[in-house]
Amino acid sequence: MSRYDAIVAGAGFSGAVMAERLASQLGWRVLVLEQRNHIAGNCHDQYDDAGILIHTYGPHIFHTRHAAVWNYLSQFTEWRRYEHRVLGEVDGELIPIPFNLTSLRRCFSAPQASRLEEKLVAAYGRDARVPILELRRSNDDDLKSLADFIYEKVFVNYTAKQWGCRPDEISADVSARVPVVVSEDDRYFQDPYQGIPVQGYSALIGRMLDQPGIDVALDTALRQRVTISAPDILLDGKPFAGSLIYTGMVDELFDYRLGELPYRSLQFRFETLDIPQFQPVATVNFPNAPGLTRITEFKQLTGQVSERTTIVREYPQAYDRHDETRNVPYYPVFTEENRQRYQRYADLVKTIPGLQCLGRLGEYRYLNMDDAVANALERFAALEVSR
Ligand code: FAD
Ligand code: UDP
């Protein structure tokens, strides 16, 4: 008999929630295997040489409409209340993103803006949040040309850089994350609960994993300890009868036998400057600059006070598992073809009793942090019921 009841591969939010719940609620002994040299997955943060708390894998802002998720995480952290605001550089001007009524007034003359505003309100209602692909289907000529303007200036080039395709070539859910807003609300997210963990995400996830019954092995990829020999799972060469929860890439788990699932990667370029503040808001998007999509200034997220500041520039790129400079799979690519290929892997997962795949990579889904937590809490509840 193994001394563990469950193995969790990956110490990001998905893996940490499962490990924490299994240990604290069921008294299970859980072995967490993490291939990186740190916990917290892509939400990892750390202090840089200038003493600024930076997000290693790109800026992370927590937001949720789920009280249960907020309350659950609040056991492990206090929050800095923070509402994210983004400006986008369009024709040399900084305008609110998502494109809202203030953006409209910045981009058009007063009479034009007020006519378009009236039409937007009549068609969709005040405070509506209209996906750009829906606005482009408007039958009204003025709204149609407004949609084309926003599509061209805000979406088409940004999306080409981020995803390597046009907005209508990937799932409509992707561009709908940043809708056209028929109000002056300039917040990036409208969720009732928004914030940044006061001591950071690594500290939050560290507390989740710091439970009796949980052992964490860093620098340890699943395959170093576990072999899947369908339908059996072996831990250190011996049959393992417990649960295996895997939060890495599902195609990698099966040695790509049904083909590779495509991902997008990112290159982050960090820079520390000897000035207290670099830009007017935490994130500025550059839809039309070559290569670059956005710049984020960490102090504006964390509220840290310092004479220096650290920023990160993001350059999207294709994922290539053979190339060290682009081998972090940040985003699954949401096309119908890829979804079907993922489904074939999901069917394979079902043939191995005890195996569950979870998280952004394990389920090949665009999960925000709160989705990842909600999803893992649901998975835990289902597992608890099925025992
Ligand atoms: P991950 O965080 O990717 O964790 C998976 C872990 O598994 C990793 O640590 C990995 O090393 C490990 N692993 C993989 N394979 C193996 C293996 N074979 N063996 C052992 N370990 C393995 N969400 C928000 O809510 N707000 C934001 O502002 C936000 N910004 C984002 C910005 C960027 C640039 C990106 C890429 C994502 C952003 N997200 C944001 C999403 C957020 O990062 C995810 O929701 C979250 O990280 C999902 O957690 P996870 O545990 O499923 O995956
Ligand atoms: N998007 C865009 N221009 C912008 C902001 C977003 O075209 O200025 C599109 C782009 O396709 C992007 C998607 O909307 O991938 C979702 O944006 P979000 O900011 O949610 O992306 P994330 O923070 O997850 O990278």
Side-chain angles (χ1 to χ4, degrees):
M1 278 283 284
S2 167
R3 45 192 286 253
Y4 295 109
D5 302 298
I7 301 164
V8 173
F13 261 118
S14 300
V17 170
M18 285 303 277
E20 187 282 326
R21 287 287 89 183
L22 293 171
S24 74
Q25 302 301 300
L26 303 183
W28 281 18
R29 290 149 309 165
V30 183
L31 174 62
V32 177
L33 304 175
E34 169 53 60
Q35 65 185 8
R36 289 174 173 161
N37 63 2
H38 61 74
I39 60 163
N42 286 346
C43 307
H44 180 256
D45 49 17
Q46 60 187 330
Y47 288 91
D48 68 6
D49 292 342
I52 307 291
L53 184 60
I54 59 166
H55 298 176
T56 321
Y57 304 99
H60 279 71
I61 298 103
F62 189 85
H63 56 99
T64 189
R65 59 191 166 79
H66 303 296
V69 168
W70 180 260
N71 293 338
Y72 169 72
L73 291 180
S74 300
Q75 299 175 77
F76 308 102
T77 188
E78 288 176 75
W79 299 95
R80 167 178 197 253
R81 295 296 163 130
Y82 169 77
E83 289 186 327
H84 197 44
R85 285 182 170 76
V86 174
L87 296 173
E89 194 182 78
V90 169
D91 294 339
E93 262 225 71
L94 291 180
I95 61 165
I97 302 287
F99 195 96
N100 67 5
L101 295 181
T102 310
S103 319
L104 185 71
R105 290 174 203 132
R106 295 264 175 82
C107 294
F108 294 89
S109 69
Q112 272 178 311
S114 103
R115 199 178 70 245
L116 289 166
E117 177 178 337
E118 268 171 39
K119 288 198 167 196
L120 281 170
V121 172
Y124 302 100
R126 185 157 281 279
D127 297 329
R129 303 174 63 74
V130 190
I132 184 64
L133 297 180
E134 184 182 332
L135 192 60
R136 290 195 94 207
R137 291 194 293 269
S138 168
N139 294 323
D140 181 289
D141 285 347
D142 286 340
L143 290 184
K144 175 88 179 65
S145 40
L146 171 64
D148 289 346
F149 174 88
I150 301 171
Y151 184 80
E152 291 298 329
K153 301 283 183 182
V154 177
F155 284 93
V156 79
N157 294 330
Y158 190 113
T159 303
K161 286 181 281 186
Q162 183 76 12
W163 299 101
C165 63
R166 288 196 318 267
D168 58 350
E169 288 171 330
I170 40 168
S171 162
D173 296 344
V174 172
S175 55
R177 288 168 61 93
V178 186
V180 175
V181 177
V182 190
S183 76
E184 282 83 14
D185 189 345
D186 63 349
R187 294 171 305 157
Y188 209 64
F189 310 112
Q190 274 63 41
D191 296 317
Y193 306 98
Q194 305 193 29
I196 307 285
V198 167
Q199 287 160 325
Y201 294 98
S202 300
L204 188 177
I205 292 178
R207 269 179 230 121
M208 294 172 77
L209 292 171
D210 186 16
Q211 305 279 340
I214 300 182
D215 291 337
V216 179
L218 297 179
D219 288 316
T220 311
L222 180 79
R223 64 179 63 239
Q224 291 171 247
R225 302 280 305 269
V226 172
T227 313
I228 296 182
S229 167
D232 298 322
I233 296 171
L234 307 179
L235 171 62
D236 298 328
K238 299 197 188 83
F240 177 73
S243 293
L244 171 58
I245 292 135
Y246 175 78
T247 70
M249 289 156 59
V250 69
D251 50 347
E252 183 190 2
L253 182 67
F254 291 104
D255 292 322
Y256 309 97
R257 76 174 73 151
L258 303 176
E260 293 191 20
L261 289 167
Y263 301 89
R264 295 292 290 174
S265 193
L266 290 166
Q267 192 186 70
F268 296 108
R269 292 192 200 151
F270 293 86
E271 188 181 0
T272 299
L273 301 146
D274 285 324
I275 48 172
Q277 187 171 338
F278 176 73
Q279 58 188 20
V281 288
T283 298
V284 175
N285 285 4
F286 295 88
N288 303 309
L292 171 72
T293 48
R294 59 187 178 189
I295 300 180
T296 298
E297 183 170 19
F298 291 104
K299 278 168 59 181
Q300 298 205 41
L301 303 179
T302 61
Q304 217 180 332
V305 177
S306 166
E307 285 308 303
R308 305 174 79 190
T309 193
T310 301
I311 58 171
V312 65
R313 295 181 170 85
E314 292 180 46
Y315 298 86
Q317 51 186 4
Y319 166 81
D320 179 350
R321 68 189 164 101
H322 303 293
D323 178 344
E324 254 179 48
T325 63
R326 48 179 69 220
N327 67 0
V328 182
Y330 287 110
Y331 298 93
V333 181
F334 306 91
T335 63
E336 197 39 47
E337 186 192 346
N338 297 344
R339 234 184 264 282
Q340 285 175 15
R341 179 170 293 177
Y342 167 75
Q343 197 46 53
R344 294 205 294 278
Y345 276 112
D347 293 341
L348 207 49
V349 171
K350 288 187 203 134
T351 63
I352 298 165
L355 173 64
Q356 298 208 35
C357 288
L358 188 64
R360 208 178 227 224
L361 301 172
E363 296 172 273
Y364 203 66
R365 283 170 63 192
Y366 201 145
L367 299 177
N368 287 329
M369 290 181 277
D370 68 322
D371 300 321
V373 171
N375 203 27
L377 288 174
E378 266 172 38
R379 205 59 92 78
F380 167 74
L383 196 145
E384 201 182 12
V385 166
S386 70
R387 282 172 75 226

